[in-house]
Amino acid sequence: MARRAGPLVGIIMGSSSDGRVMAAAAEALDGFGVAHEDQIVSAHRTPSRLAEYARHAEEAGVRVIIAGAGGAAHLPGMIASNTLIPVIGVPIAAGASGARAAAPPRLAALGGLDALLSMSEMPTGSPVACVGINKAANAALYALKILAVESPALRKRLASHRLAQHRAVVRESERMRRSGVRAHSRLRKAR
């Protein structure tokens, strides 16, 4: 993908505590050399900033927004309702950041299911793509696929990435075949 001055992907999250999960998206994009910008945009605490970010992203030429949020997880849907840029939601499990969950233990025990349902069940009109709980790297890979529609070079790098994954699994399978599953599992635990 040709280098440009501005970011192609916006990574936003509801609070800094979501950064530990969302860092996986940044790492994946960095691995493919795709420029991104990372910001905290709270749907509840800074609604005017959310609308401002949506305008900024469109003006800056951002092509995809990855939005991570936990709990009620309004951020992906709210940003999607303010822009035509595709939005990929990352549901974040309460406490995934290592910080103490704000909700009582019985509610935090939903393990991100609340956020997942909030994102995946968006009403018709403001769709949000949604990956699994804490799967920010998958969100980045999906964003890369969207970008690859217009970039043969990025499409080629994604194909190489997929081939490398295939070869790694075949190598691992061969090691397991030779040593047996129990011995192989013990070796992996020792690593």
Side-chain angles (χ1 to χ4, degrees), residues 50-51 53-59 61-65 76-88 125-128 146:
L50 183 142
Y53 179 78
R55 283 189 299 276
H56 154 76
E58 288 185 352
E59 291 168 4
V62 168
R63 299 286 194 273
V64 184
I65 296 172
M78 289 300 298
I79 199 73
S81 71
N82 279 277
T83 184
L84 296 176
I85 298 170
V87 176
I88 305 167
S126 292
V128 170
I146 292 170

Side-chain angles (χ1 to χ4, degrees), residues 13-81:
M13 59 208 79
S15 69
S16 60
S17 64
D18 298 333
R20 188 163 163 195
V21 169
M22 298 304 289
E27 184 177 320
L29 293 171
D30 290 344
F32 282 86
V34 171
H36 56 89
E37 64 180 16
D38 316 325
Q39 294 194 34
I40 297 169
V41 180
S42 172
H44 300 108
R45 294 181 301 272
T46 61
S48 60
R49 179 171 161 72
L50 183 142
E52 190 179 293
Y53 179 78
R55 283 189 299 276
H56 154 76
E58 288 185 352
E59 291 168 4
V62 168
R63 299 286 194 273
V64 184
I65 296 172
I66 300 171
H74 290 106
L75 180 60
M78 289 300 298
I79 199 73
S81 71

Side-chain angles (χ1 to χ4, degrees), residues 160-178:
S160 293
H161 173 75
R162 181 174 287 181
L163 182 58
Q165 287 181 313
H166 173 84
R167 288 177 176 158
V169 170
V170 170
R171 280 191 306 272
E172 189 78 9
S173 177
E174 183 56 28
R175 283 193 291 270
M176 181 183 284
R177 186 190 65 73
R178 284 193 309 265

